[in-house]
Amino acid sequence: MNELNSFKISPLLYGQFAITDKTIYVSARNYNGLFAIDIISGRLAFMGKFLHQGSYDTSLFYIKNYGKKLIFIPSCAHEIAVFDIEKKQIKEISLKQVLSTYSIVMSTAVIYEDNLYLFPAQANSIIIYSMKNECILDVINTAEIYKNVFREGYTALGSTDSNYIYGNKIYIPCWTQSAFMSLDMDNKNVEFHRIAECTQGFCALCGYGDIIYALNRNKELIEWDIKSKKVISRTTVLEDGNTAEHYRVITVISGDIYLLSHIGILRIIKIDLGTKSVHKGLSQKLSDILEKECINETVYFGKINEEKIYCYTD
């Protein structure tokens, strides 16, 4: 991909990209623009600029696919942006009027039945945006519920971009409390589910069937039954010196759980759901390939699906 050499001079990539059949769309790290990379040829194209953001705002967005569109979820931005892949147009929707702070970081976001659910880490409300009608449907205060449950002032939810949809509920991890937060998408009811067995908050979670798997900041993998609201098992999965906070992505694939670190793909952890055995790092064969192809470069995790892990280098 020699045509990307000029692109790599500036560290634009920061894991903020979306993948279609033949294209990788990149939200730039140090420039408020959108780029597209042809997967086959490696050609880079500039697709447009986010006009309402500063020229050097960093880590502006997370990106999610929505039909023939890409949805840009604010990370440090103060807006939602929508890119129409067919029309090649960017539309920006300001969130300033509904955010309690302009210095916003999004904990996670979910697209469900044509609605976008935004869970800000710092602001004290959940925002529901209609993708069809292109308007904000509702703003749900979470700060007062938090204070009533934990008997202390509201603090930020974790910035992990992890969640699990179970029936009509969305579950997300709490960073400072040993609890999960859930939102009922039908009646808009918010609950905090305390995990009494834990003394620390959570870095990330995912789910499979009736079970939520969550990485605790004490380096434990928690297996929590949604129906009974009880912890089934706790397994220490990280050794001393390996910080749990580095693992913000957790996913279940073919009977295994994968923990992915934002400081490099070589720190990947695989856990067998049946035996709870822990396997650290990549296979020797793949490690040798990366060492040969990416000399003196750190390889970072970007996206994962059932078949592939997409990575990038610095």
Side-chain angles (χ1 to χ4, degrees):
M1 298 175 71
N2 293 329
E3 299 194 28
L4 292 183
N5 285 343
S6 59
F7 182 62
K8 290 177 64 176
I9 290 174
S10 179
L12 298 177
L13 281 174
Y14 194 56
Q16 310 305 323
F17 57 89
I19 302 160
T20 62
D21 291 340
K22 299 180 180 179
T23 307
I24 299 174
Y25 290 93
V26 181
S27 175
R29 181 180 183 182
N30 293 332
Y31 176 72
N32 59 342
L34 175 64
F35 298 82
I37 304 170
D38 185 291
I39 293 176
I40 305 301
S41 69
R43 291 189 176 90
L44 175 72
F46 176 68
M47 306 306 295
K49 184 178 180 181
F50 302 105
L51 298 176
H52 301 299
Q53 301 292 156
S55 294
Y56 296 100
D57 287 343
T58 61
S59 303
L60 288 174
F61 299 103
Y62 303 115
I63 311 178
K64 292 187 179 292
N65 298 74
Y66 174 71
K68 296 294 184 181
K69 296 179 180 180
L70 301 178
I71 311 301
F72 293 82
I73 312 301
S75 175
C76 293
H78 50 250
E79 66 180 16
I80 303 168
V82 180
F83 176 70
D84 189 306
I85 296 174
E86 293 181 339
K87 295 180 180 178
K88 294 182 171 50
Q89 295 177 344
I90 295 175
K91 179 176 181 178
E92 297 170 85
I93 304 100
S94 175
L95 293 175
K96 283 186 177 181
Q97 73 275 20
V98 296
L99 294 176
S100 59
T101 171
Y102 289 171
S103 179
I104 194 66
V105 174
M106 203 59 58
S107 176
T108 192
V110 174
I111 298 174
Y112 182 79
E113 292 187 351
D114 296 320
N115 288 334
L116 172 63
Y117 295 82
L118 299 171
F119 296 84
Q122 295 176 330
N124 56 15
S125 299
I126 298 169
I127 302 163
I128 306 175
Y129 178 82
S130 171
M131 301 298 301
K132 281 188 174 181
N133 300 322
E134 298 184 341
C135 66
I136 294 172
L137 293 178
D138 203 354
V139 178
I140 304 170
N141 184 281
T142 55
E144 290 304 315
I145 301 171
Y146 184 100
K147 292 175 184 176
N148 290 336
V149 172
F150 299 111
R151 303 299 178 187
E152 63 181 58
Y154 178 77
T155 56
L157 299 173
S159 179
T160 67
D161 194 27
S162 68
N163 59 75
Y164 181 52
I165 298 177
Y166 179 81
N168 62 344
K169 289 186 177 182
I170 305 168
Y171 289 84
I172 69 171
C174 293
W175 181 258
T176 58
Q177 303 288 347
S178 57
F180 306 140
M181 187 178 80
S182 68
L183 169 69
D184 188 307
M185 291 177 282
D186 291 336
N187 60 29
K188 308 301 186 293
N189 184 50
V190 175
E191 289 185 84
F192 287 93
H193 308 274
R194 285 184 161 184
I195 313 300
E197 293 85 349
C198 301
T199 59
Q200 294 279 346
F202 293 91
C203 303
L205 67 72
C206 67
Y208 185 79
D210 298 330
I211 306 300
I212 283 178
Y213 302 95
L215 178 64
N216 186 271
R217 291 172 68 190
N218 278 343
K219 305 181 181 181
E220 294 178 322
L221 180 70
I222 306 299
E223 190 174 353
W224 188 73
D225 186 278
I226 296 173
K227 290 183 176 180
S228 67
K229 299 182 180 180
K230 293 182 178 179
V231 172
I232 299 173
S233 69
R234 297 161 58 192
T235 306
T236 300
V237 295
L238 299 176
E239 298 175 340
D240 292 342
N242 199 0
T243 305
E245 284 83 351
H246 291 161
Y247 292 84
R248 303 297 182 89
V249 176
I250 177 172
T251 186
V252 179
I253 298 177
S254 301
D256 295 315
I257 286 183
Y258 292 84
L259 306 178
L260 293 123
S261 171
H262 64 72
I263 63 172
I265 192 64
L266 296 180
R267 288 178 174 264
I268 189 172
I269 303 290
K270 184 175 78 170
I271 303 146
D272 186 295
L273 282 181
T275 64
K276 298 297 188 299
S277 58
V278 179
H279 306 273
K280 295 179 276 298
L282 298 172
S283 67
Q284 188 60 53
K285 180 180 179 181
L286 186 52
S287 296
D288 291 344
I289 291 173
L290 290 179
E291 184 177 353
K292 180 180 179 181
E293 296 294 330
C294 306
I295 300 173
N296 297 324
E297 291 184 301
T298 300
V299 181
Y300 296 100
F301 158 77
K303 299 288 183 182
I304 188 170
N305 58 33
E306 292 281 344
E307 298 177 350
K308 297 177 181 179
I309 296 179
Y310 292 85
C311 302
Y312 63 99
T313 67
D314 54 5

